[in-house]
Amino acid sequence: MVTLNVLTGIATLALMSLGLGVIYGMMRIINLAHGEFLMLGAYVTVVATNAGINIWLAMLVLSPLAVGVFGVVIERCVIRFLYGRTLDSMLATWGLSLFLMGAVTTLFGNTVKGVSAPLGSVSIGRYDTSAFLLFVLFLTIIVFAVLWATLRYSRFGLIVRATMQKPDMAAALGVAPQWVYMATFAIGAALTGLAGGILAPISGVSPSMGSAFIAKSFITVIGGGASIIAGTGLASVAFGLVNQVVTFVSTPVLGEVALLVAAVVMIRILPQGITARFFKRSL
Amino acid sequence: MMKRLNLWSTVLVVGIALILTVAIPRLVGLYSLVEVTVMVALAVFAISQGFIWGFGGIQCFGQAAFFGLGGYTYAVAAINMGNSSVALMLGVVVPIVFAGVLGYFMFYGRITDTYVGVITLTVSVILFNLFNATSADIYRIGNTPLGGFNGIPSIPGLTVPGSPNVLLTPDQLWYVSMVALIACYVLLRLLLASRFGRVVVAIRENETRATLLGFDSRRYKTLTFMIGTGIAGLGGCLYANWGNFISPTVFALSMSAQSIIYVLVGGVATLVGPVLGAIAVQSMMSYLGTQQVFNAQLVLGLVLIVFVLLVPQGVLPALRSVLTNLVITPRQRRTRAVATTASMKERS
């Protein structure tokens, strides 16, 4: 039972952080509006479900689509002016984060909404657990696998990896880095939207829900280091484990504190993240 | 030449501030005075961020953590001990110690600026969550319940040092806050003129070069960070004093964002800029609070985006460059332009 809790904890952490990891790994931009992208994804699911649309459709298709499109708009209007200016891009996304929180509060009010989780519960041996959490676990594995396969084997993945390593050389070979960056930002945003949609049934949906998750996501991504998939995955396992175990013996808040302490100590030992020292050649 | 200029501008700024200190209580009513006092507390907060970011080159995205720690420390100590002067000192010392530990891990790990930003931001978020979760009665320090989401009410105000029973009146609190702000300004100016300050700025300009010249950039950065957070803690004390109340919202992300916005609006790498920025932004916020059309957070976010995109150096430096462009002759402008491009190339 504890194992299952730990596993689903790791899975949600990994899913939440993946979008951030994609954007950071590819573009060296920390999207401080990450939490608000999650929040937007959750709101899309809630609004769509309340409008009578099937919850699976809302979570798995509409949320990523809507947030992905929103990501493109933001990339074109704000981020593309700030490539190469790391601090400024972080500040701009922070402004975006405040703006989105304010906008959603104005539109939907400062109340907690929610949708009920589908699937009910299943029994594994003697224990009952939420089938939805199991679904999240499998979904996370599938998403990671698909992303890895895309980056590793497809032509698009090759272009993306080339641009990541040497943008000017890729440009010399006929790739337009700006389009690759736009696509990457859109994919990152869409993955975040997906995670937001999945979170909607698990947690309450409110304008400020993002700030409940970003701390963990940020730590996971910078703890992971340069590699998108291996870094986010490994860091999720490490920090998810610490978080869930401490949560289990004390409270969720102390779990988060333990997560932070583990991360700060780890960053002293491995300043460039896990994948800077181990699994260097991974994706 | 440059040094004398700095001295005169410092004297000018302090002079204007002293005149304002004396004049404002005579010009406005008590209600407005109380409203301006909170701006002074936030200006102290702003100047701390201005120092860390503008001169130290440290991107602290969680400055509210230290502001809040200062406020909470003051609250807990003042209620427990009844002696608010000692509480004020603790309110400065505790953030410094905390920043020392955090700074050790960050700067001695030699992590990149991005990571510093994210780690400090995360620290403030987690402190926010932590203090929010202390509503149960078992969470108390001494005889002070931390109160979780509701915060700590009826914090004793500052008293006259030596006689703990004489509370300061609102206009005395105004004088104390202003003196604290001016003292911080003068202290930072002196610090920046000293050898230490020059090394700090050198590290901001080029960390590798400063290290190669034999300065331990890790130590200097940690110390800069600690000094800045101590000032932030002082701001937190004044803030807790002003409302006699503190709640976890002081740790909120929007609070850290505000400190960044103050500096960005006023001017990066200036000390007066953040103060003016704090006053401008807070005036705007209190105006926004009186109407219901626009959400204050929405406007703050827009201000941040617009400034980053259009005026990334802030208003004061932008004004300064416009003025110098007007004053100097075209020929000087050309040489200056060449010099700027050269220095920009070097930096990139």
Side-chain angles (χ1 to χ4, degrees):
Chain A
M1 189 63 212
V2 178
T3 326
L4 196 64
N5 262 337
V6 170
L7 281 180
T8 51
I10 291 173
T12 35
L13 184 60
L15 193 61
M16 269 177 354
S17 315
L18 188 58
L20 187 72
V22 166
I23 294 176
Y24 177 66
M26 292 296 308
M27 301 150 81
R28 298 283 124 185
I29 286 179
I30 291 275
N31 176 17
L32 288 188
H34 179 72
E36 281 57 48
F37 280 25
L38 279 173
M39 181 258 298
L40 281 185
Y43 263 92
V44 170
T45 296
V46 169
V47 170
T49 314
N50 288 346
I53 294 170
N54 182 299
I55 186 167
W56 296 104
L57 186 69
M59 270 189 322
L60 300 179
V61 180
L62 287 182
S63 288
L65 205 62
V67 181
V69 170
F70 183 73
V72 171
V73 174
I74 292 302
E75 202 273 345
R76 284 291 97 186
C77 296
V78 180
I79 312 287
R80 73 179 167 123
F81 300 111
L82 302 171
Y83 287 130
R85 289 157 60 189
T86 316
L87 170 70
D88 287 345
S89 63
M90 286 168 89
L91 292 180
T93 50
W94 200 350
L96 182 67
S97 140
L98 294 173
F99 174 79
L100 287 177
M101 256 194 266
V104 171
T105 311
T106 316
L107 285 176
F108 295 99
N110 196 6
T111 49
V112 179
K113 298 177 196 305
V115 285
S116 51
L119 290 180
S121 70
V122 289
S123 307
I124 301 171
R126 293 184 290 121
Y127 302 110
D128 280 347
T129 183
S130 154
F132 186 70
L133 283 176
L134 284 181
F135 167 74
V136 173
L137 185 61
F138 287 116
L139 182 77
T140 308
I141 295 170
I142 291 170
V143 168
F144 267 76
V146 169
L147 188 68
W148 181 78
T150 313
L151 282 175
R152 181 76 183 78
Y153 294 113
S154 75
R155 185 176 160 74
F156 174 73
L158 186 69
I159 292 175
V160 164
R161 281 185 291 144
T163 315
M164 184 164 100
Q165 283 183 359
K166 265 206 165 24
D168 42 355
M169 187 55 82
L173 291 171
V175 175
Q178 45 183 0
W179 292 110
V180 177
Y181 286 146
M182 193 182 85
T184 321
F185 200 83
I187 292 172
L191 285 170
T192 312
L194 175 71
I198 299 290
L199 278 174
I202 306 177
S203 72
V205 178
S206 72
S208 57
M209 69 179 279
S211 49
F213 301 108
I214 48 166
K216 287 187 211 165
S217 301
F218 284 151
I219 287 186
T220 307
V221 169
I222 64 169
S227 314
I228 302 171
I229 294 175
T232 312
L234 285 172
S236 304
V237 172
F239 295 144
L241 197 65
V242 171
N243 186 15
Q244 291 292 319
V245 168
V246 177
T247 301
F248 185 72
V249 295
S250 56
T251 65
V253 174
L254 285 185
E256 233 172 70
V257 174
L259 181 81
L260 176 76
V261 172
V264 170
V265 171
M266 199 203 76
I267 222 136
R268 177 74 183 85
I269 307 165
L270 302 169
Q272 302 296 320
I274 300 175
T275 48
R277 178 150 309 174
F278 310 108
F279 312 104
K280 267 186 197 162
R281 304 200 58 78
S282 55
L283 272 174
Chain B
M1 168 74 195
M2 194 62 202
K3 220 171 172 182
R4 196 181 298 165
L5 199 77
N6 262 341
L7 176 70
W8 283 114
S9 65
T10 307
V11 169
L12 185 71
V13 167
V14 172
I16 294 176
L18 283 175
I19 294 172
L20 286 177
T21 311
V22 180
I24 285 183
R26 288 173 174 69
L27 293 177
V28 302
L30 191 63
Y31 177 77
S32 309
L33 187 67
V34 170
E35 207 165 81
V36 192
T37 309
V38 71
M39 286 188 193
V40 177
L42 291 169
V44 173
F45 182 38
I47 215 171
S48 77
Q49 177 70 284
F51 175 65
I52 291 183
W53 177 18
F55 293 93
I58 299 165
Q59 288 147 27
C60 176
F61 286 180
Q63 195 70 352
F66 308 103
F67 183 75
L69 269 183
Y72 262 96
T73 309
Y74 174 80
V76 170
I79 293 175
N80 274 320
M81 301 192 292
N83 185 337
S84 59
S85 308
V86 178
L88 189 70
M89 276 193 300
L90 279 176
V92 177
V93 169
V94 168
I96 291 182
V97 172
F98 184 72
V101 175
L102 186 65
Y104 166 76
F105 280 104
M106 291 196 306
F107 301 122
Y108 281 75
R110 287 195 183 282
I111 60 178
T112 59
D113 293 347
T114 319
Y115 284 18
V116 172
V118 172
I119 293 273
T120 47
L121 181 123
T122 312
V123 165
S124 76
V125 170
I126 286 180
L127 279 176
F128 177 72
N129 292 344
L130 187 66
F131 277 87
N132 255 334
T134 55
S135 45
D137 209 38
I138 52 161
Y139 296 107
R140 43 172 68 237
I141 300 176
N143 52 17
T144 321
L146 290 177
F149 192 73
N150 296 320
I152 304 176
S154 55
I155 301 167
L158 274 177
T159 51
V160 179
S163 45
N165 297 321
V166 190
L167 271 176
L168 294 187
T169 57
D171 51 333
Q172 279 167 331
L173 183 63
W174 156 259
Y175 290 122
V176 169
S177 306
M178 271 312 269
V179 167
L181 177 62
I182 295 171
C184 288
Y185 174 76
V186 173
L187 184 91
L188 289 178
R189 270 269 156 259
L190 289 176
L191 196 69
L192 286 168
S194 72
R195 182 184 154 82
F196 177 84
R198 279 151 195 275
V199 175
V200 165
V201 173
I203 290 171
R204 177 197 68 186
E205 286 300 315
N206 192 330
E207 187 168 346
T208 320
R209 196 176 290 169
T211 315
L212 290 176
L213 286 171
F215 298 107
D216 187 354
S217 67
R218 304 171 298 179
R219 194 168 68 91
Y220 278 94
K221 277 186 152 179
T222 311
L223 286 174
T224 311
F225 190 53
M226 288 165 75
I227 295 169
T229 52
I231 295 175
L234 177 66
C237 293
L238 293 174
Y239 183 80
N241 233 292
W242 167 77
N244 294 332
F245 169 71
I246 196 156
S247 75
T249 50
V250 288
F251 291 113
L253 269 183
S254 53
M255 202 71 197
S256 296
Q258 275 178 37
S259 78
I260 299 251
I261 295 171
Y262 299 151
V263 178
L264 194 61
V265 168
V268 186
T270 64
L271 286 179
V272 181
V275 173
L276 297 180
I279 293 167
V281 171
Q282 280 316 116
S283 314
M284 188 192 78
M285 296 274 280
S286 64
Y287 168 73
L288 285 174
T290 57
Q291 50 89 49
Q292 300 294 319
V293 187
F294 291 108
N295 182 295
Q297 234 173 2
L298 189 148
V299 179
L300 266 187
L302 269 185
V303 168
L304 185 49
I305 296 176
V306 167
F307 267 84
V308 168
L309 286 177
L310 303 178
V311 211
Q313 284 304 307
V315 168
L316 274 191
L319 270 183
R320 197 182 294 157
S321 65
V322 168
L323 281 180
T324 43
N325 268 338
L326 285 179
V327 172
I328 61 179
T329 63
R331 187 174 169 180
Q332 278 172 314
R333 195 180 304 164
R334 224 171 307 140
T335 42
R336 185 176 283 243
V338 172
T340 333
T341 4
S343 74
M344 273 169 76
K345 265 186 199 147
E346 200 171 295
R347 204 175 290 179
S348 66

